[in-house]
């Protein structure tokens, strides 16, 4: 940390959300370099707020200013003596996914696959997600699937293909002329998922049967129903989506079937889109507010 700061000569340092690199923060503090925490969010169970975490709490007290996501974080920081340098600005990821949606590139191959069909886009899936999802899709020929697994390895792709009984094709092997003949499109590359969600009637975001669900905002920004497993406690935005009936926890195929049946109604989909758009409108703007505070003269 000392070598890096000496070489880089930073004028300020910004850490995002859960990133608190203690050695770097200590060195930056001793050098008099301001340190900011952006989109940070805290929970009572974190080490900073335990009796045995005093040294970690001291690390937080060396941060120049916190731009936090919610009021609970303000209260928790106050408990360890961090009071006058905390601002609630929300989560900059809302601004990011809105920008991604605006700049999303057209994907003619996926558009051709989805044209005239009801499509579920499943992103960042793990085997427990796939166990529920693939069996359901195998038994419901009226539903097409785009699946982008979290791990794109040869072994995992072959495992997915072995569990699909309908016609499937990998993205890298499909063409615009041939892709319409298949029922399942397996995305075997990175960087496409955020643009693919727009072609779905529904979205499934993986990870919720493991440590924690992955990025739901990338899918929700398109105003479509988003499904995921039960492990959501680490993510404020996912809990908000559930509270607003824009995102939905499921545990098995029966619950998936109920949700798909519910949102086969165009009226239900439109009502959800309205709720989700209202939520994003409330949450947007954190980036601009933070940048104005950090660079007021620019």
């Amino acid at each position: 940390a000392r070598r890096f700061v000496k070489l880089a000569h930073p004028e300020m340092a910004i850490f995002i959300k859960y990133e608190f690199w203690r050695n770097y923060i200590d060195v930056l503090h001793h050098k008099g370099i301001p340190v900011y925490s952006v989109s940070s969010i805290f929970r009572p169970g974190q080490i900073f707020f335990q009796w045995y975490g005093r040294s970690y709490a001291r690390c937080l007290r060396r941060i120049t200013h916190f731009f936090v996501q919610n009021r609970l974080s303000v209260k928790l920081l106050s408990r360890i003596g961090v009071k006058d340098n905390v601002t609630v600005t929300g989560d900059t990821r809302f601004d990011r996914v809105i920008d991604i949606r605006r700049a999303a590139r057209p994907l003619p191959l996926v558009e051709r696959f989805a044209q005239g069909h009801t499509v579920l886009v499943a992103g960042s899936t793990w085997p427990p997600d796939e166990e529920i999802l693939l069996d359901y899709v195998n038994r419901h020929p009226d539903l097409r699937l785009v699946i982008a697994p979290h791990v794109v390895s040869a072994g995992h792709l072959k495992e997915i293909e072995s569990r699909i009984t309908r016609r499937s094709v990998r993205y890298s092997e499909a063409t615009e002329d041939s892709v319409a003949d298949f029922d399942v499109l397996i995305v075997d590359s990175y960087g496409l998922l955020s643009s693919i969600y727009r072609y779905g009637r529904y979205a499934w975001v993986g990870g919720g049967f493991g440590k924690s669900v992955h990025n739901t905002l990338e899918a929700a920004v398109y105003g479509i129903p988003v499904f995921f497993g039960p492990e959501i406690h680490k993510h404020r935005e996912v809990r908000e989506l559930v509270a607003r009936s824009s995102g939905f926890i499921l545990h098995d195929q029966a619950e998936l079937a109920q949700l798909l049946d519910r949102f086969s109604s165009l009226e239900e989909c439109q009502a959800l889109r309205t709720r989700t758009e209202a939520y994003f409108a409330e949450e947007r703007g954190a980036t601009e507010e933070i940048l104005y505070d950090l660079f007021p003269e620019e």
Side-chain angles (χ1 to χ4, degrees):
R2 285 192 294 269
R3 288 196 302 271
F4 177 82
V5 171
K6 183 177 180 180
L7 287 168
H9 299 292
E11 295 181 15
M12 67 169 62
I14 299 172
F15 293 88
I16 307 297
K17 201 171 182 178
Y18 296 128
E19 303 293 335
F20 299 103
W21 297 10
R22 184 175 168 184
N23 290 335
Y24 282 88
I25 291 171
D26 286 347
V27 172
L28 291 162
H29 174 75
H30 288 307
K31 293 283 187 181
I33 299 166
V35 179
Y36 300 93
S37 177
V38 168
S39 293
S40 43
I41 186 167
F42 296 94
R43 302 186 306 276
Q46 288 174 300
I47 192 170
F48 312 112
F49 312 112
Q50 311 304 316
W51 65 266
Y52 52 81
R54 291 174 184 171
S55 63
Y56 290 92
R58 185 169 60 250
C59 169
L60 294 189
R61 287 194 287 271
R62 290 179 168 176
I63 290 177
T64 307
H65 201 96
F66 290 87
F67 298 96
V68 299
Q69 293 190 31
N70 59 6
R71 297 299 306 176
L72 175 60
S73 296
V74 176
K75 293 179 182 178
L76 290 170
L77 288 171
S78 178
R79 277 172 36 185
I80 60 171
V82 179
K83 297 180 179 180
D84 299 325
N85 59 332
V86 185
T87 305
V88 179
T89 53
D91 190 347
T92 55
R93 288 188 306 154
F94 284 89
D95 300 318
R96 177 61 180 149
V97 296
I98 290 170
D99 286 344
I100 288 173
R101 176 180 176 174
R102 288 173 180 159
R105 51 177 167 154
L107 298 171
L109 192 148
V110 183
E111 184 174 357
R112 182 76 179 93
F113 174 82
Q115 192 172 25
H117 297 278
T118 302
V119 175
L120 169 62
V121 176
S124 302
T125 60
W126 291 85
D129 303 292
E130 294 151 10
E131 183 176 350
I132 297 173
L133 189 57
L134 297 180
D135 185 54
Y136 183 90
V137 170
N138 283 339
R139 295 184 294 103
H140 291 82
D142 55 325
L143 182 67
R144 284 195 168 188
L145 173 67
V146 179
I147 182 168
H150 186 75
V151 177
V152 181
S153 65
H156 192 196
L157 292 173
K158 287 181 181 178
E159 180 182 353
I160 290 172
E161 289 169 328
S162 70
R163 300 181 67 169
I164 299 171
T165 58
R166 297 171 65 190
R167 296 167 299 175
S168 68
V169 64
R170 298 187 186 187
Y171 187 94
S172 62
E173 298 172 355
T175 67
E176 289 182 48
D177 292 331
S178 68
V179 72
D181 297 328
F182 294 91
D183 304 307
V184 179
L185 179 61
I186 303 169
V187 181
D188 54 349
S189 58
Y190 294 108
L192 299 175
L193 183 57
S194 60
S195 295
I196 289 176
Y197 279 124
R198 75 163 108 170
Y199 297 104
R201 173 77 173 269
Y202 325 98
W204 175 304
V205 178
F209 292 97
K211 291 183 178 180
S212 188
V213 66
H214 291 291
N215 190 343
T216 58
L217 293 181
E218 283 187 340
V221 72
Y222 291 101
I224 59 177
V226 183
F227 313 139
F228 33 78
E231 288 299 322
I232 68 169
H233 66 282
K234 291 182 179 180
H235 301 289
R236 175 187 69 94
E237 73 281 1
V238 185
R239 297 193 300 272
E240 281 291 333
L241 288 171
V242 172
R244 294 167 182 253
S245 295
S246 292
F248 302 88
I249 297 172
L250 50 75
H251 300 84
D252 51 37
Q253 286 188 36
E255 291 178 351
L256 174 60
Q258 290 173 359
L259 288 166
L260 293 177
D261 181 63
R262 173 180 172 180
F263 289 103
S264 64
S265 161
L266 293 178
E267 290 79 9
E268 283 279 1
C269 287
Q270 184 54 53
L272 180 142
R273 182 181 296 273
T274 300
R275 292 192 298 270
T276 305
E277 287 177 350
Y279 177 46
F280 275 82
E282 291 172 16
E283 294 288 337
R284 67 190 303 172
T287 305
E288 185 176 357
E289 183 175 350
I290 292 166
L291 288 175
Y292 180 80
D293 282 353
L294 292 180
F295 309 102
E297 298 179 0
E298 296 186 13

Short mmCIF file of all heavy atoms in Angstrom, two decimals, residues 237-260:
data_model
loop_
_atom_site.label_atom_id
_atom_site.label_comp_id
_atom_site.label_asym_id
_atom_site.label_seq_id
_atom_site.Cartn_x
_atom_site.Cartn_y
_atom_site.Cartn_z
N GLU A 237 -31.71 -3.29 -2.84
CA GLU A 237 -32.54 -3.07 -4.03
C GLU A 237 -33.40 -4.29 -4.35
O GLU A 237 -34.53 -4.14 -4.86
CB GLU A 237 -31.65 -2.70 -5.23
CG GLU A 237 -30.84 -3.83 -5.83
CD GLU A 237 -29.59 -4.15 -5.06
OE1 GLU A 237 -29.32 -3.51 -4.02
OE2 GLU A 237 -28.85 -5.06 -5.48
N VAL A 238 -32.91 -5.48 -4.04
CA VAL A 238 -33.70 -6.69 -4.31
C VAL A 238 -34.88 -6.75 -3.34
O VAL A 238 -36.01 -7.08 -3.73
CB VAL A 238 -32.84 -7.96 -4.21
CG1 VAL A 238 -33.65 -9.19 -4.62
CG2 VAL A 238 -31.60 -7.84 -5.09
N ARG A 239 -34.63 -6.43 -2.09
CA ARG A 239 -35.72 -6.41 -1.11
C ARG A 239 -36.78 -5.38 -1.51
O ARG A 239 -37.98 -5.61 -1.33
CB ARG A 239 -35.19 -6.11 0.29
CG ARG A 239 -34.22 -7.17 0.82
CD ARG A 239 -33.98 -6.99 2.32
NE ARG A 239 -33.41 -5.70 2.64
CZ ARG A 239 -32.11 -5.43 2.66
NH1 ARG A 239 -31.24 -6.37 2.35
NH2 ARG A 239 -31.67 -4.23 3.00
N GLU A 240 -36.34 -4.24 -2.05
CA GLU A 240 -37.28 -3.22 -2.51
C GLU A 240 -38.09 -3.71 -3.70
O GLU A 240 -39.30 -3.45 -3.78
CB GLU A 240 -36.52 -1.95 -2.88
CG GLU A 240 -36.11 -1.11 -1.70
CD GLU A 240 -37.30 -0.46 -1.01
OE1 GLU A 240 -38.32 -0.22 -1.67
OE2 GLU A 240 -37.20 -0.20 0.21
N LEU A 241 -37.44 -4.41 -4.62
CA LEU A 241 -38.18 -4.95 -5.76
C LEU A 241 -39.25 -5.93 -5.30
O LEU A 241 -40.38 -5.94 -5.82
CB LEU A 241 -37.22 -5.64 -6.73
CG LEU A 241 -36.30 -4.73 -7.55
CD1 LEU A 241 -35.25 -5.56 -8.29
CD2 LEU A 241 -37.09 -3.89 -8.54
N VAL A 242 -38.90 -6.76 -4.32
CA VAL A 242 -39.88 -7.72 -3.77
C VAL A 242 -41.02 -6.97 -3.09
O VAL A 242 -42.20 -7.29 -3.29
CB VAL A 242 -39.19 -8.68 -2.79
CG1 VAL A 242 -40.23 -9.55 -2.07
CG2 VAL A 242 -38.19 -9.58 -3.53
N ALA A 243 -40.68 -5.96 -2.29
CA ALA A 243 -41.71 -5.20 -1.56
C ALA A 243 -42.68 -4.51 -2.51
O ALA A 243 -43.86 -4.33 -2.18
CB ALA A 243 -41.04 -4.18 -0.64
N ARG A 244 -42.19 -4.14 -3.69
CA ARG A 244 -43.01 -3.43 -4.67
C ARG A 244 -43.65 -4.36 -5.70
O ARG A 244 -44.25 -3.91 -6.67
CB ARG A 244 -42.17 -2.37 -5.39
CG ARG A 244 -41.70 -1.25 -4.48
CD ARG A 244 -40.63 -0.40 -5.14
NE ARG A 244 -40.15 0.64 -4.24
CZ ARG A 244 -40.43 1.93 -4.34
NH1 ARG A 244 -41.20 2.36 -5.33
NH2 ARG A 244 -39.95 2.81 -3.49
N SER A 245 -43.50 -5.66 -5.48
CA SER A 245 -44.03 -6.66 -6.42
C SER A 245 -43.51 -6.45 -7.83
O SER A 245 -44.23 -6.58 -8.82
CB SER A 245 -45.57 -6.65 -6.41
OG SER A 245 -46.07 -7.04 -5.16
N SER A 246 -42.22 -6.12 -7.91
CA SER A 246 -41.54 -6.06 -9.20
C SER A 246 -40.52 -7.18 -9.34
O SER A 246 -40.12 -7.53 -10.44
CB SER A 246 -40.82 -4.71 -9.35
OG SER A 246 -41.75 -3.65 -9.47
N GLY A 247 -40.09 -7.73 -8.22
CA GLY A 247 -39.20 -8.88 -8.19
C GLY A 247 -39.81 -9.95 -7.30
O GLY A 247 -40.57 -9.63 -6.37
N PHE A 248 -39.47 -11.22 -7.56
CA PHE A 248 -40.19 -12.30 -6.90
C PHE A 248 -39.26 -13.44 -6.51
O PHE A 248 -38.49 -13.95 -7.33
CB PHE A 248 -41.28 -12.85 -7.84
CG PHE A 248 -42.26 -11.79 -8.27
CD1 PHE A 248 -41.99 -11.02 -9.40
CD2 PHE A 248 -43.40 -11.54 -7.54
CE1 PHE A 248 -42.87 -10.02 -9.80
CE2 PHE A 248 -44.29 -10.53 -7.93
CZ PHE A 248 -44.02 -9.78 -9.07
N ILE A 249 -39.35 -13.80 -5.23
CA ILE A 249 -38.60 -14.96 -4.73
C ILE A 249 -39.37 -16.22 -5.11
O ILE A 249 -40.60 -16.28 -4.98
CB ILE A 249 -38.46 -14.88 -3.21
CG1 ILE A 249 -37.65 -13.65 -2.81
CG2 ILE A 249 -37.82 -16.15 -2.66
CD1 ILE A 249 -37.64 -13.39 -1.31
N LEU A 250 -38.63 -17.22 -5.57
CA LEU A 250 -39.24 -18.52 -5.80
C LEU A 250 -38.33 -19.61 -5.25
O LEU A 250 -37.13 -19.42 -5.06
CB LEU A 250 -39.55 -18.75 -7.28
CG LEU A 250 -38.47 -18.50 -8.34
CD1 LEU A 250 -37.44 -19.61 -8.35
CD2 LEU A 250 -39.10 -18.37 -9.70
N HIS A 251 -38.94 -20.78 -5.00
CA HIS A 251 -38.20 -21.89 -4.42
C HIS A 251 -38.22 -23.15 -5.28
O HIS A 251 -37.37 -24.03 -5.12
CB HIS A 251 -38.77 -22.24 -3.04
CG HIS A 251 -38.72 -21.12 -2.05
ND1 HIS A 251 -39.68 -20.12 -1.99
CD2 HIS A 251 -37.80 -20.82 -1.10
CE1 HIS A 251 -39.37 -19.26 -1.03
NE2 HIS A 251 -38.24 -19.66 -0.47
N ASP A 252 -39.20 -23.24 -6.19
CA ASP A 252 -39.36 -24.48 -6.95
C ASP A 252 -40.13 -24.22 -8.24
O ASP A 252 -40.54 -23.09 -8.53
CB ASP A 252 -40.08 -25.54 -6.11
CG ASP A 252 -41.38 -25.01 -5.48
OD1 ASP A 252 -42.09 -24.22 -6.15
OD2 ASP A 252 -41.69 -25.39 -4.34
N GLN A 253 -40.34 -25.28 -8.98
CA GLN A 253 -41.03 -25.16 -10.27
C GLN A 253 -42.48 -24.73 -10.12
O GLN A 253 -43.01 -24.01 -10.98
CB GLN A 253 -40.97 -26.50 -11.00
CG GLN A 253 -39.62 -26.82 -11.59
CD GLN A 253 -39.68 -28.05 -12.48
OE1 GLN A 253 -40.66 -28.27 -13.17
NE2 GLN A 253 -38.63 -28.85 -12.45
N ALA A 254 -43.12 -25.16 -9.05
CA ALA A 254 -44.52 -24.80 -8.86
C ALA A 254 -44.68 -23.29 -8.74
O ALA A 254 -45.59 -22.68 -9.32
CB ALA A 254 -45.08 -25.49 -7.61
N GLU A 255 -43.78 -22.67 -8.00
CA GLU A 255 -43.84 -21.21 -7.85
C GLU A 255 -43.47 -20.51 -9.15
O GLU A 255 -44.03 -19.46 -9.48
CB GLU A 255 -42.92 -20.77 -6.71
CG GLU A 255 -43.43 -21.22 -5.35
CD GLU A 255 -42.51 -20.83 -4.21
OE1 GLU A 255 -41.38 -20.36 -4.47
OE2 GLU A 255 -42.91 -20.99 -3.05
N LEU A 256 -42.53 -21.08 -9.89
CA LEU A 256 -42.20 -20.52 -11.20
C LEU A 256 -43.41 -20.56 -12.11
O LEU A 256 -43.73 -19.59 -12.81
CB LEU A 256 -41.04 -21.30 -11.83
CG LEU A 256 -40.67 -20.92 -13.27
CD1 LEU A 256 -40.25 -19.45 -13.36
CD2 LEU A 256 -39.56 -21.83 -13.80
N ALA A 257 -44.13 -21.69 -12.11
CA ALA A 257 -45.32 -21.83 -12.95
C ALA A 257 -46.37 -20.80 -12.58
O ALA A 257 -47.02 -20.20 -13.46
CB ALA A 257 -45.88 -23.24 -12.82
N GLN A 258 -46.55 -20.56 -11.28
CA GLN A 258 -47.54 -19.57 -10.82
C GLN A 258 -47.18 -18.17 -11.31
O GLN A 258 -48.05 -17.41 -11.76
CB GLN A 258 -47.62 -19.60 -9.30
CG GLN A 258 -48.25 -20.86 -8.73
CD GLN A 258 -48.16 -20.92 -7.21
OE1 GLN A 258 -47.59 -20.02 -6.57
NE2 GLN A 258 -48.69 -21.97 -6.63
N LEU A 259 -45.90 -17.84 -11.22
CA LEU A 259 -45.47 -16.50 -11.64
C LEU A 259 -45.60 -16.32 -13.15
O LEU A 259 -46.05 -15.26 -13.63
CB LEU A 259 -44.02 -16.27 -11.21
CG LEU A 259 -43.82 -16.06 -9.71
CD1 LEU A 259 -42.34 -16.17 -9.34
CD2 LEU A 259 -44.37 -14.70 -9.28
N LEU A 260 -45.22 -17.33 -13.91
CA LEU A 260 -45.34 -17.23 -15.36
C LEU A 260 -46.80 -17.12 -15.78
O LEU A 260 -47.13 -16.39 -16.71
CB LEU A 260 -44.68 -18.44 -16.02
CG LEU A 260 -43.15 -18.52 -15.89
CD1 LEU A 260 -42.63 -19.81 -16.52
CD2 LEU A 260 -42.47 -17.31 -16.52
#
